[in-house]
Amino acid sequence: MDAAPAPAVSLSAPPLGVSAASFVSSFDRFAVSPMLVVIATDLGVPLSASVTAASGYYLAYGLTQPLWGVLSDRFGRVRVMRGALVGAAVAGLVSALMPALWALVAARVVTGACFGAVIPTGLTYVGDTVRPALRQRALTDLMSATALGTALATGLGGALAGLVSWRAAFTVPAACALACALALRSLPEPARDGAPAGVRRFLGMVLGQRWALLVFALAFTEGAIMLGVMPFLAPALEHSGVAAALAGLGITAYGIGLWAQAKLVKRLSGRWPAPLLMTVGGAQLVAGFALAAATVNLVTVAVTALLLGGGWSFLHSSLQTWATSVVPQARGTTIAFFAAALFVGSAVSSWAAGPLAEAGRYPLLFGLAAVAAAPLTAVAALTRRRYGGVRAG
């Protein structure tokens, strides 16, 4: 499992193997939701029970981020990615063979924990190997790969489960994960700042840095607004009378918007300052959620999904780029805590929003998200500007 040694790596874009692994991780994470009904029917359990196969996966995906970050700082980015991909491949294949729900949930928890290492470690690899002037462009390339995985998963996951089997839908990304692990064998391990340190020192570096704590707080808030509220767009459509299949099709506009505007961010990142990119992204979040709060129908929700995809491209890529620079000596740990904050924020938000959704009060839910996105944007842009001034000084 050792990566090829290299004293230094200088790139202008993420390696193809890293992008492919991020695509597979994103596909596996989003493919399960459309096939929960099929799983429930096949295993003879209620839908509410089959949802644990998804929630357990997401929980493990988020909570293991700090562990993977510390491991990548200690043992290397490529080694951690390859080991995690092999683990995800094995757990994914086991998932496809499970005859009972409890066994399936256990296998999906392990799969989520392993796939949880891929995207944050890939982001860290980009942070290690791409110079700051080109870093946001490279990160948007990586985001495009994850966006494509998201868009295809929402459409193909359910179709594959319905036409073939939900077991096949778990087998395909597992096989792709193994192929990615093999493809990364020749990827050089990047040089890192400073000598290897222990876990406690990495944690001290990150948690003792005030700018890092600020970025984590922004990620938590962004996750709460975006990842916590966006999944309620499809249920809102279904509540208004739109068929489930058509509602899911409307939400695929998110992946399209993310992919398309990630390309735009790549062109603008060398010309526009980060605070301006954040402002454009945040404005799209406000507009998108405000539109859904005003009226819920297939057209408005599709436009909202497009705007949220664009907002994520501009705002999140800027926050990611910032996270790669605040503690360069412990970049893997920093990115892992960043990702963990994002997913914990989404979990808290979705839990808090549940009663509003159950009562059908979707306009209020989306209105609150629109209101919350405005101060998030202002604080992110202003503090990023301040950070640039401090660094320049």
Side-chain angles (χ1 to χ4, degrees), residues 82-148:
R82 293 192 65 222
L85 285 166
V86 171
V90 173
L93 291 173
V94 170
S95 299
L97 301 175
M98 291 298 97
L101 180 62
W102 68 267
L104 174 63
V105 171
R108 295 312 292 166
V109 165
V110 176
T111 309
C114 292
F115 266 127
V118 175
I119 293 178
T121 309
L123 293 172
T124 306
Y125 190 92
V126 170
D128 288 340
T129 57
V130 178
R131 67 181 188 271
L134 300 176
R135 192 172 294 161
Q136 185 156 2
R137 297 183 185 182
L139 289 173
T140 54
D141 281 339
L142 203 59
M143 181 180 288
S144 296
T146 61
L148 185 59

Short mmCIF file of all heavy atoms in Angstrom, two decimals, residues 82-148:
data_model
loop_
_atom_site.label_atom_id
_atom_site.label_comp_id
_atom_site.label_asym_id
_atom_site.label_seq_id
_atom_site.Cartn_x
_atom_site.Cartn_y
_atom_site.Cartn_z
N ARG A 82 -5.87 5.14 -0.55
CA ARG A 82 -5.90 3.79 -1.10
C ARG A 82 -6.45 2.79 -0.09
O ARG A 82 -7.26 1.92 -0.43
CB ARG A 82 -4.49 3.37 -1.54
CG ARG A 82 -3.97 4.18 -2.72
CD ARG A 82 -2.70 3.56 -3.31
NE ARG A 82 -3.00 2.26 -3.86
CZ ARG A 82 -2.24 1.18 -3.73
NH1 ARG A 82 -1.13 1.24 -3.00
NH2 ARG A 82 -2.58 0.04 -4.30
N GLY A 83 -6.01 2.90 1.15
CA GLY A 83 -6.52 1.99 2.18
C GLY A 83 -8.02 2.15 2.38
O GLY A 83 -8.76 1.17 2.52
N ALA A 84 -8.49 3.41 2.39
CA ALA A 84 -9.92 3.66 2.58
C ALA A 84 -10.73 3.13 1.39
O ALA A 84 -11.83 2.59 1.56
CB ALA A 84 -10.17 5.15 2.76
N LEU A 85 -10.22 3.28 0.19
CA LEU A 85 -10.92 2.79 -1.00
C LEU A 85 -11.03 1.27 -0.99
O LEU A 85 -12.07 0.71 -1.36
CB LEU A 85 -10.21 3.27 -2.27
CG LEU A 85 -10.43 4.74 -2.63
CD1 LEU A 85 -9.42 5.18 -3.68
CD2 LEU A 85 -11.85 4.96 -3.14
N VAL A 86 -9.97 0.58 -0.57
CA VAL A 86 -10.04 -0.87 -0.47
C VAL A 86 -11.09 -1.27 0.57
O VAL A 86 -11.91 -2.18 0.35
CB VAL A 86 -8.66 -1.46 -0.11
CG1 VAL A 86 -8.77 -2.95 0.22
CG2 VAL A 86 -7.68 -1.26 -1.27
N GLY A 87 -11.09 -0.58 1.72
CA GLY A 87 -12.09 -0.87 2.74
C GLY A 87 -13.49 -0.62 2.24
O GLY A 87 -14.42 -1.40 2.52
N ALA A 88 -13.69 0.49 1.50
CA ALA A 88 -15.01 0.80 0.96
C ALA A 88 -15.45 -0.24 -0.07
O ALA A 88 -16.64 -0.61 -0.13
CB ALA A 88 -14.99 2.19 0.32
N ALA A 89 -14.51 -0.74 -0.86
CA ALA A 89 -14.84 -1.76 -1.85
C ALA A 89 -15.32 -3.04 -1.18
O ALA A 89 -16.34 -3.63 -1.56
CB ALA A 89 -13.63 -2.04 -2.74
N VAL A 90 -14.60 -3.48 -0.16
CA VAL A 90 -14.97 -4.70 0.55
C VAL A 90 -16.32 -4.53 1.24
O VAL A 90 -17.22 -5.37 1.12
CB VAL A 90 -13.88 -5.09 1.57
CG1 VAL A 90 -14.35 -6.27 2.43
CG2 VAL A 90 -12.59 -5.45 0.85
N ALA A 91 -16.49 -3.41 1.96
CA ALA A 91 -17.75 -3.17 2.67
C ALA A 91 -18.92 -3.00 1.71
O ALA A 91 -20.05 -3.43 2.00
CB ALA A 91 -17.62 -1.94 3.57
N GLY A 92 -18.66 -2.38 0.55
CA GLY A 92 -19.73 -2.22 -0.44
C GLY A 92 -20.18 -3.55 -1.01
O GLY A 92 -21.39 -3.79 -1.19
N LEU A 93 -19.23 -4.44 -1.29
CA LEU A 93 -19.59 -5.77 -1.79
C LEU A 93 -20.32 -6.58 -0.72
O LEU A 93 -21.29 -7.29 -1.02
CB LEU A 93 -18.33 -6.51 -2.24
CG LEU A 93 -17.65 -5.95 -3.49
CD1 LEU A 93 -16.32 -6.65 -3.74
CD2 LEU A 93 -18.56 -6.10 -4.72
N VAL A 94 -19.90 -6.44 0.52
CA VAL A 94 -20.61 -7.11 1.62
C VAL A 94 -22.03 -6.58 1.74
O VAL A 94 -22.98 -7.34 1.99
CB VAL A 94 -19.83 -6.93 2.94
CG1 VAL A 94 -20.66 -7.41 4.13
CG2 VAL A 94 -18.50 -7.68 2.88
N SER A 95 -22.21 -5.27 1.55
CA SER A 95 -23.54 -4.67 1.60
C SER A 95 -24.49 -5.33 0.61
O SER A 95 -25.67 -5.56 0.91
CB SER A 95 -23.47 -3.17 1.30
OG SER A 95 -22.67 -2.48 2.23
N ALA A 96 -23.97 -5.62 -0.57
CA ALA A 96 -24.80 -6.22 -1.61
C ALA A 96 -25.23 -7.64 -1.29
O ALA A 96 -26.17 -8.16 -1.90
CB ALA A 96 -24.05 -6.19 -2.94
N LEU A 97 -24.59 -8.28 -0.33
CA LEU A 97 -24.88 -9.67 0.00
C LEU A 97 -25.73 -9.83 1.26
O LEU A 97 -26.16 -10.94 1.57
CB LEU A 97 -23.58 -10.46 0.19
CG LEU A 97 -22.62 -10.49 -1.01
CD1 LEU A 97 -21.32 -11.19 -0.61
CD2 LEU A 97 -23.27 -11.19 -2.19
N MET A 98 -26.00 -8.72 1.95
CA MET A 98 -26.66 -8.83 3.25
C MET A 98 -28.14 -9.22 3.13
O MET A 98 -28.87 -8.59 2.37
CB MET A 98 -26.53 -7.51 4.01
CG MET A 98 -25.12 -7.20 4.45
SD MET A 98 -24.42 -8.43 5.63
CE MET A 98 -23.48 -9.49 4.52
N PRO A 99 -28.57 -10.25 3.88
CA PRO A 99 -29.95 -10.73 3.76
C PRO A 99 -30.93 -10.06 4.71
O PRO A 99 -32.15 -10.24 4.58
CB PRO A 99 -29.81 -12.22 4.13
CG PRO A 99 -28.69 -12.23 5.13
CD PRO A 99 -27.74 -11.13 4.71
N ALA A 100 -30.43 -9.31 5.70
CA ALA A 100 -31.30 -8.71 6.71
C ALA A 100 -30.91 -7.25 6.90
O ALA A 100 -29.77 -6.85 6.65
CB ALA A 100 -31.19 -9.46 8.03
N LEU A 101 -31.87 -6.44 7.38
CA LEU A 101 -31.64 -5.02 7.49
C LEU A 101 -30.51 -4.69 8.46
O LEU A 101 -29.66 -3.85 8.16
CB LEU A 101 -32.93 -4.31 7.93
CG LEU A 101 -32.80 -2.79 8.09
CD1 LEU A 101 -32.46 -2.14 6.76
CD2 LEU A 101 -34.08 -2.20 8.66
N TRP A 102 -30.47 -5.35 9.61
CA TRP A 102 -29.44 -5.01 10.60
C TRP A 102 -28.04 -5.24 10.04
O TRP A 102 -27.12 -4.46 10.29
CB TRP A 102 -29.65 -5.82 11.89
CG TRP A 102 -29.40 -7.30 11.74
CD1 TRP A 102 -30.31 -8.26 11.45
CD2 TRP A 102 -28.13 -7.97 11.86
NE1 TRP A 102 -29.71 -9.50 11.38
CE2 TRP A 102 -28.37 -9.34 11.63
CE3 TRP A 102 -26.83 -7.54 12.13
CZ2 TRP A 102 -27.36 -10.30 11.66
CZ3 TRP A 102 -25.82 -8.49 12.17
CH2 TRP A 102 -26.09 -9.86 11.93
N ALA A 103 -27.89 -6.31 9.27
CA ALA A 103 -26.59 -6.60 8.67
C ALA A 103 -26.26 -5.58 7.57
O ALA A 103 -25.11 -5.16 7.42
CB ALA A 103 -26.58 -8.02 8.10
N LEU A 104 -27.29 -5.19 6.81
CA LEU A 104 -27.09 -4.18 5.77
C LEU A 104 -26.66 -2.86 6.39
O LEU A 104 -25.73 -2.19 5.91
CB LEU A 104 -28.36 -4.00 4.96
CG LEU A 104 -28.35 -2.86 3.93
CD1 LEU A 104 -27.30 -3.12 2.86
CD2 LEU A 104 -29.73 -2.70 3.30
N VAL A 105 -27.33 -2.45 7.47
CA VAL A 105 -26.98 -1.20 8.13
C VAL A 105 -25.54 -1.23 8.63
O VAL A 105 -24.78 -0.26 8.45
CB VAL A 105 -27.96 -0.92 9.30
CG1 VAL A 105 -27.47 0.27 10.12
CG2 VAL A 105 -29.36 -0.64 8.76
N ALA A 106 -25.14 -2.34 9.23
CA ALA A 106 -23.76 -2.46 9.72
C ALA A 106 -22.76 -2.32 8.58
O ALA A 106 -21.74 -1.61 8.69
CB ALA A 106 -23.58 -3.79 10.44
N ALA A 107 -23.05 -2.96 7.45
CA ALA A 107 -22.15 -2.88 6.30
C ALA A 107 -22.10 -1.48 5.72
O ALA A 107 -21.04 -0.99 5.32
CB ALA A 107 -22.58 -3.88 5.23
N ARG A 108 -23.26 -0.79 5.72
CA ARG A 108 -23.28 0.57 5.17
C ARG A 108 -22.56 1.55 6.08
O ARG A 108 -21.97 2.53 5.61
CB ARG A 108 -24.74 1.03 4.94
CG ARG A 108 -25.49 0.23 3.90
CD ARG A 108 -24.71 0.05 2.62
NE ARG A 108 -24.51 1.28 1.89
CZ ARG A 108 -23.64 1.44 0.90
NH1 ARG A 108 -22.85 0.44 0.53
NH2 ARG A 108 -23.55 2.60 0.27
N VAL A 109 -22.61 1.31 7.38
CA VAL A 109 -21.87 2.17 8.31
C VAL A 109 -20.37 2.08 8.02
O VAL A 109 -19.66 3.10 7.95
CB VAL A 109 -22.18 1.78 9.77
CG1 VAL A 109 -21.16 2.40 10.73
CG2 VAL A 109 -23.59 2.21 10.15
N VAL A 110 -19.87 0.86 7.82
CA VAL A 110 -18.45 0.68 7.51
C VAL A 110 -18.12 1.32 6.16
O VAL A 110 -17.09 1.98 5.98
CB VAL A 110 -18.08 -0.81 7.52
CG1 VAL A 110 -16.63 -1.00 7.10
CG2 VAL A 110 -18.31 -1.40 8.90
N THR A 111 -19.02 1.14 5.18
CA THR A 111 -18.80 1.74 3.86
C THR A 111 -18.72 3.25 3.95
O THR A 111 -17.83 3.89 3.37
CB THR A 111 -19.93 1.35 2.89
OG1 THR A 111 -20.12 -0.07 2.90
CG2 THR A 111 -19.61 1.80 1.47
N GLY A 112 -19.65 3.85 4.69
CA GLY A 112 -19.64 5.31 4.85
C GLY A 112 -18.39 5.80 5.54
O GLY A 112 -17.81 6.83 5.16
N ALA A 113 -17.95 5.06 6.57
CA ALA A 113 -16.74 5.46 7.27
C ALA A 113 -15.53 5.44 6.34
O ALA A 113 -14.67 6.33 6.40
CB ALA A 113 -16.51 4.53 8.46
N CYS A 114 -15.46 4.45 5.47
CA CYS A 114 -14.32 4.35 4.55
C CYS A 114 -14.40 5.39 3.43
O CYS A 114 -13.40 6.07 3.14
CB CYS A 114 -14.25 2.94 3.95
SG CYS A 114 -13.82 1.65 5.15
N PHE A 115 -15.56 5.52 2.82
CA PHE A 115 -15.68 6.53 1.75
C PHE A 115 -15.52 7.94 2.31
O PHE A 115 -15.18 8.86 1.56
CB PHE A 115 -17.04 6.40 1.05
CG PHE A 115 -17.00 5.53 -0.18
CD1 PHE A 115 -17.90 4.48 -0.33
CD2 PHE A 115 -16.08 5.76 -1.20
CE1 PHE A 115 -17.88 3.68 -1.47
CE2 PHE A 115 -16.05 4.96 -2.34
CZ PHE A 115 -16.95 3.92 -2.47
N GLY A 116 -15.76 8.12 3.60
CA GLY A 116 -15.60 9.43 4.20
C GLY A 116 -14.18 9.98 4.11
O GLY A 116 -13.97 11.19 4.24
N ALA A 117 -13.21 9.11 3.89
CA ALA A 117 -11.82 9.57 3.81
C ALA A 117 -11.47 10.15 2.45
O ALA A 117 -10.52 10.93 2.34
CB ALA A 117 -10.88 8.40 4.10
N VAL A 118 -12.22 9.80 1.42
CA VAL A 118 -11.75 10.03 0.05
C VAL A 118 -11.76 11.51 -0.33
O VAL A 118 -10.72 12.06 -0.73
CB VAL A 118 -12.61 9.21 -0.94
CG1 VAL A 118 -12.21 9.54 -2.38
CG2 VAL A 118 -12.44 7.72 -0.66
N ILE A 119 -12.90 12.16 -0.23
CA ILE A 119 -12.99 13.55 -0.71
C ILE A 119 -12.15 14.50 0.14
O ILE A 119 -11.38 15.30 -0.40
CB ILE A 119 -14.46 14.00 -0.81
CG1 ILE A 119 -15.16 13.20 -1.91
CG2 ILE A 119 -14.55 15.50 -1.09
CD1 ILE A 119 -16.64 13.52 -2.07
N PRO A 120 -12.24 14.46 1.49
CA PRO A 120 -11.38 15.37 2.26
C PRO A 120 -9.88 15.14 2.03
O PRO A 120 -9.12 16.09 1.94
CB PRO A 120 -11.76 15.05 3.72
CG PRO A 120 -13.14 14.51 3.63
CD PRO A 120 -13.17 13.72 2.36
N THR A 121 -9.47 13.88 1.90
CA THR A 121 -8.06 13.61 1.65
C THR A 121 -7.67 14.05 0.25
O THR A 121 -6.54 14.53 0.04
CB THR A 121 -7.74 12.12 1.86
OG1 THR A 121 -8.25 11.68 3.12
CG2 THR A 121 -6.24 11.87 1.82
N GLY A 122 -8.59 13.91 -0.70
CA GLY A 122 -8.33 14.43 -2.04
C GLY A 122 -8.17 15.95 -2.03
O GLY A 122 -7.28 16.49 -2.71
N LEU A 123 -9.02 16.63 -1.28
CA LEU A 123 -8.88 18.08 -1.15
C LEU A 123 -7.53 18.44 -0.53
O LEU A 123 -6.87 19.41 -0.95
CB LEU A 123 -10.01 18.63 -0.27
CG LEU A 123 -11.44 18.54 -0.81
CD1 LEU A 123 -12.44 18.94 0.27
CD2 LEU A 123 -11.60 19.42 -2.04
N THR A 124 -7.13 17.68 0.47
CA THR A 124 -5.84 17.93 1.12
C THR A 124 -4.70 17.71 0.14
O THR A 124 -3.71 18.47 0.13
CB THR A 124 -5.68 17.02 2.33
OG1 THR A 124 -6.82 17.17 3.19
CG2 THR A 124 -4.43 17.36 3.11
N TYR A 125 -4.81 16.67 -0.68
CA TYR A 125 -3.78 16.40 -1.69
C TYR A 125 -3.63 17.59 -2.63
O TYR A 125 -2.51 18.02 -2.96
CB TYR A 125 -4.12 15.14 -2.48
CG TYR A 125 -2.99 14.65 -3.36
CD1 TYR A 125 -2.08 13.71 -2.90
CD2 TYR A 125 -2.83 15.15 -4.66
CE1 TYR A 125 -1.03 13.28 -3.71
CE2 TYR A 125 -1.80 14.73 -5.47
CZ TYR A 125 -0.89 13.79 -4.99
OH TYR A 125 0.14 13.37 -5.79
N VAL A 126 -4.76 18.15 -3.05
CA VAL A 126 -4.72 19.34 -3.91
C VAL A 126 -4.06 20.50 -3.17
O VAL A 126 -3.24 21.23 -3.72
CB VAL A 126 -6.14 19.73 -4.37
CG1 VAL A 126 -6.14 21.09 -5.05
CG2 VAL A 126 -6.69 18.67 -5.33
N GLY A 127 -4.42 20.67 -1.89
CA GLY A 127 -3.80 21.72 -1.10
C GLY A 127 -2.30 21.56 -0.98
O GLY A 127 -1.55 22.54 -0.94
N ASP A 128 -1.83 20.31 -0.93
CA ASP A 128 -0.39 20.03 -0.82
C ASP A 128 0.36 20.25 -2.12
O ASP A 128 1.55 20.57 -2.11
CB ASP A 128 -0.17 18.58 -0.38
CG ASP A 128 -0.53 18.35 1.08
OD1 ASP A 128 -0.58 19.33 1.84
OD2 ASP A 128 -0.76 17.18 1.44
N THR A 129 -0.31 20.03 -3.25
CA THR A 129 0.42 19.94 -4.53
C THR A 129 0.16 21.08 -5.50
O THR A 129 0.85 21.18 -6.52
CB THR A 129 0.05 18.61 -5.23
OG1 THR A 129 -1.37 18.55 -5.43
CG2 THR A 129 0.50 17.41 -4.41
N VAL A 130 -0.83 21.92 -5.23
CA VAL A 130 -1.15 23.03 -6.14
C VAL A 130 -0.86 24.33 -5.42
O VAL A 130 -1.31 24.55 -4.29
CB VAL A 130 -2.63 22.97 -6.57
CG1 VAL A 130 -2.96 24.16 -7.49
CG2 VAL A 130 -2.94 21.66 -7.29
N ARG A 131 -0.12 25.21 -6.06
CA ARG A 131 0.24 26.47 -5.41
C ARG A 131 -1.00 27.34 -5.20
O ARG A 131 -1.99 27.23 -5.93
CB ARG A 131 1.30 27.21 -6.23
CG ARG A 131 0.87 27.74 -7.56
CD ARG A 131 2.06 28.42 -8.24
NE ARG A 131 1.67 29.13 -9.46
CZ ARG A 131 1.64 28.57 -10.66
NH1 ARG A 131 1.99 27.31 -10.80
NH2 ARG A 131 1.27 29.28 -11.71
N PRO A 132 -0.98 28.22 -4.20
CA PRO A 132 -2.18 28.98 -3.81
C PRO A 132 -2.85 29.73 -4.96
O PRO A 132 -4.08 29.82 -5.01
CB PRO A 132 -1.64 29.95 -2.75
CG PRO A 132 -0.49 29.21 -2.13
CD PRO A 132 0.14 28.44 -3.26
N ALA A 133 -2.07 30.26 -5.90
CA ALA A 133 -2.68 31.05 -6.98
C ALA A 133 -3.60 30.22 -7.86
O ALA A 133 -4.54 30.76 -8.47
CB ALA A 133 -1.57 31.69 -7.83
N LEU A 134 -3.34 28.92 -7.96
CA LEU A 134 -4.14 28.05 -8.82
C LEU A 134 -5.04 27.10 -8.02
O LEU A 134 -5.77 26.31 -8.61
CB LEU A 134 -3.22 27.21 -9.72
CG LEU A 134 -2.30 27.97 -10.67
CD1 LEU A 134 -1.41 26.99 -11.42
CD2 LEU A 134 -3.10 28.82 -11.65
N ARG A 135 -4.99 27.21 -6.70
CA ARG A 135 -5.62 26.18 -5.87
C ARG A 135 -7.14 26.13 -6.01
O ARG A 135 -7.73 25.06 -6.11
CB ARG A 135 -5.22 26.38 -4.41
CG ARG A 135 -5.58 25.20 -3.53
CD ARG A 135 -4.98 25.39 -2.15
NE ARG A 135 -3.52 25.34 -2.20
CZ ARG A 135 -2.72 25.81 -1.26
NH1 ARG A 135 -3.25 26.41 -0.20
NH2 ARG A 135 -1.41 25.71 -1.38
N GLN A 136 -7.79 27.30 -6.05
CA GLN A 136 -9.25 27.27 -6.14
C GLN A 136 -9.70 26.69 -7.47
O GLN A 136 -10.71 26.00 -7.54
CB GLN A 136 -9.85 28.66 -5.92
CG GLN A 136 -11.38 28.62 -5.89
CD GLN A 136 -11.99 29.77 -5.12
OE1 GLN A 136 -11.30 30.64 -4.63
NE2 GLN A 136 -13.31 29.77 -5.01
N ARG A 137 -8.97 26.95 -8.53
CA ARG A 137 -9.31 26.35 -9.82
C ARG A 137 -9.24 24.82 -9.74
O ARG A 137 -10.11 24.11 -10.24
CB ARG A 137 -8.35 26.85 -10.90
CG ARG A 137 -8.42 28.34 -11.17
CD ARG A 137 -7.49 28.73 -12.30
NE ARG A 137 -7.44 30.17 -12.51
CZ ARG A 137 -6.74 30.77 -13.45
NH1 ARG A 137 -6.00 30.04 -14.29
NH2 ARG A 137 -6.74 32.08 -13.57
N ALA A 138 -8.17 24.33 -9.11
CA ALA A 138 -8.02 22.88 -8.97
C ALA A 138 -9.13 22.29 -8.09
O ALA A 138 -9.66 21.21 -8.37
CB ALA A 138 -6.65 22.55 -8.40
N LEU A 139 -9.47 23.01 -7.02
CA LEU A 139 -10.52 22.52 -6.14
C LEU A 139 -11.88 22.50 -6.84
O LEU A 139 -12.71 21.63 -6.58
CB LEU A 139 -10.59 23.38 -4.88
CG LEU A 139 -9.42 23.21 -3.90
CD1 LEU A 139 -9.52 24.23 -2.78
CD2 LEU A 139 -9.38 21.80 -3.33
N THR A 140 -12.13 23.45 -7.74
CA THR A 140 -13.38 23.43 -8.47
C THR A 140 -13.41 22.28 -9.48
O THR A 140 -14.48 21.74 -9.77
CB THR A 140 -13.64 24.76 -9.20
OG1 THR A 140 -12.52 25.09 -10.03
CG2 THR A 140 -13.87 25.88 -8.22
N ASP A 141 -12.25 21.90 -10.00
CA ASP A 141 -12.20 20.70 -10.84
C ASP A 141 -12.62 19.47 -10.03
O ASP A 141 -13.39 18.62 -10.51
CB ASP A 141 -10.78 20.49 -11.39
CG ASP A 141 -10.47 21.38 -12.57
OD1 ASP A 141 -11.42 21.86 -13.21
OD2 ASP A 141 -9.28 21.61 -12.84
N LEU A 142 -12.11 19.39 -8.82
CA LEU A 142 -12.47 18.27 -7.96
C LEU A 142 -13.95 18.33 -7.59
O LEU A 142 -14.64 17.32 -7.54
CB LEU A 142 -11.61 18.30 -6.68
CG LEU A 142 -11.45 16.98 -5.93
CD1 LEU A 142 -10.82 15.91 -6.81
CD2 LEU A 142 -10.59 17.20 -4.68
N MET A 143 -14.46 19.54 -7.36
CA MET A 143 -15.88 19.72 -7.06
C MET A 143 -16.73 19.30 -8.25
O MET A 143 -17.83 18.75 -8.07
CB MET A 143 -16.15 21.17 -6.69
CG MET A 143 -17.61 21.44 -6.34
SD MET A 143 -17.90 23.17 -5.91
CE MET A 143 -17.09 23.24 -4.33
N SER A 144 -16.27 19.55 -9.46
CA SER A 144 -17.02 19.13 -10.65
C SER A 144 -17.18 17.61 -10.69
O SER A 144 -18.23 17.09 -11.07
CB SER A 144 -16.31 19.61 -11.92
OG SER A 144 -16.27 21.02 -11.98
N ALA A 145 -16.12 16.91 -10.30
CA ALA A 145 -16.19 15.44 -10.27
C ALA A 145 -17.21 14.96 -9.25
O ALA A 145 -18.01 14.06 -9.51
CB ALA A 145 -14.81 14.85 -9.97
N THR A 146 -17.21 15.58 -8.07
CA THR A 146 -18.18 15.19 -7.06
C THR A 146 -19.59 15.58 -7.47
O THR A 146 -20.55 14.86 -7.19
CB THR A 146 -17.83 15.82 -5.70
OG1 THR A 146 -17.87 17.25 -5.81
CG2 THR A 146 -16.46 15.40 -5.23
N ALA A 147 -19.73 16.73 -8.15
CA ALA A 147 -21.05 17.15 -8.61
C ALA A 147 -21.60 16.19 -9.65
O ALA A 147 -22.80 15.86 -9.65
CB ALA A 147 -20.97 18.56 -9.20
N LEU A 148 -20.74 15.72 -10.55
CA LEU A 148 -21.19 14.75 -11.55
C LEU A 148 -21.62 13.46 -10.88
O LEU A 148 -22.63 12.85 -11.25
CB LEU A 148 -20.05 14.49 -12.54
CG LEU A 148 -20.39 13.58 -13.74
CD1 LEU A 148 -21.53 14.17 -14.55
CD2 LEU A 148 -19.15 13.39 -14.62
#
